Amino acid sequence: MSAPNALSDREYRDLSDALLRRLEAQADAWLQDDVIDIDAQRTGGLLEFTFPDRSKIVVNTQPPLHEVWLASKAGGYHFAWRDGAWRDTKTGDSFDAVFNQQASRQAGRAQCIRVDHHSDSRPHSCPLHVRRNTEDLQDGARCNDEPDCHQERR
């Protein structure tokens, strides 16, 4: 696995803020499109998602470390900017793949977001996956349009 890219404090702030904005936009799109009744609350560098079962996913920035952390029912994940994307510091998985997996499990059905592609400001929502349940994810189901969408580690 490659070492984290050396980011300036400003680059880190720009990249982490863009990630949080995209996550907020996706939660708004899910709510507006009646995909899932999700609540998203942001306070500075902390974004908290509350799912219908009252479970939470928390995404927060860690400026001194230049990392982004995600906490879900399954545990905690740390992400650093590597090779042009937020990558898990242990596995190298992309942030969007981990977020998709955890959000889908907590929502009880597949959710798909594309957040690592900072050149595209539109949130990605895969309508094929919205209709599927989490059992499909366990079979390695993926969005045909997005290579990392719901990608499971084997």
Side-chain angles (χ1 to χ4, degrees):
M1 183 173 332
S2 63
N5 295 342
L7 297 174
S8 69
D9 288 344
R10 181 182 175 111
E11 289 170 322
Y12 168 77
R13 276 193 314 272
D14 290 347
L15 290 166
S16 61
D17 188 56
L19 174 68
L20 294 180
R21 282 194 321 268
R22 288 184 205 303
L23 289 167
E24 284 180 293
Q26 183 62 68
D28 289 344
W30 283 339
L31 193 58
Q32 181 179 345
D33 296 342
D34 202 25
V35 172
I36 184 172
D37 184 17
I38 189 169
D39 182 44
Q41 296 288 325
R42 183 172 175 187
T43 305
L46 184 137
L47 180 58
E48 182 177 87
F49 298 92
T50 304
F51 290 84
D53 68 353
R54 310 312 295 162
S55 68
K56 297 181 185 296
I57 289 180
V58 178
V59 177
N60 65 311
T61 60
Q62 296 293 318
L65 302 174
H66 285 189
E67 291 184 354
V68 173
W69 292 0
L70 182 150
S72 69
K73 287 188 339 184
Y77 304 85
H78 297 188
F79 298 87
W81 189 257
R82 291 189 177 123
D83 302 322
W86 291 106
R87 300 267 172 208
D88 186 298
T89 58
K90 291 183 181 177
T91 66
D93 290 342
S94 70
F95 180 93
D96 55 349
V98 173
F99 184 88
N100 288 336
Q101 179 185 51
Q102 297 309 312
S104 296
R105 286 184 176 154
Q106 288 184 220
R109 64 183 192 183
Q111 304 299 319
C112 186
I113 187 169
R114 185 176 122 195
V115 295
D116 279 343
H117 310 285
H118 60 277
S119 63
D120 183 357
S121 61
R122 296 174 305 133
H124 171 71
S125 181
C126 176
L128 296 174
H129 282 160
V130 169
R131 292 185 203 98
R132 294 182 181 167
N133 62 38
T134 54
E135 291 175 16
D136 291 333
L137 298 178
Q138 294 167 356
D139 294 332
R142 295 175 28 184
C143 169
N144 293 330
D145 296 328
E146 303 299 330
D148 286 335
C149 183
H150 299 293
Q151 186 172 358
E152 291 280 333
R153 292 187 58 80
R154 299 272 184 218

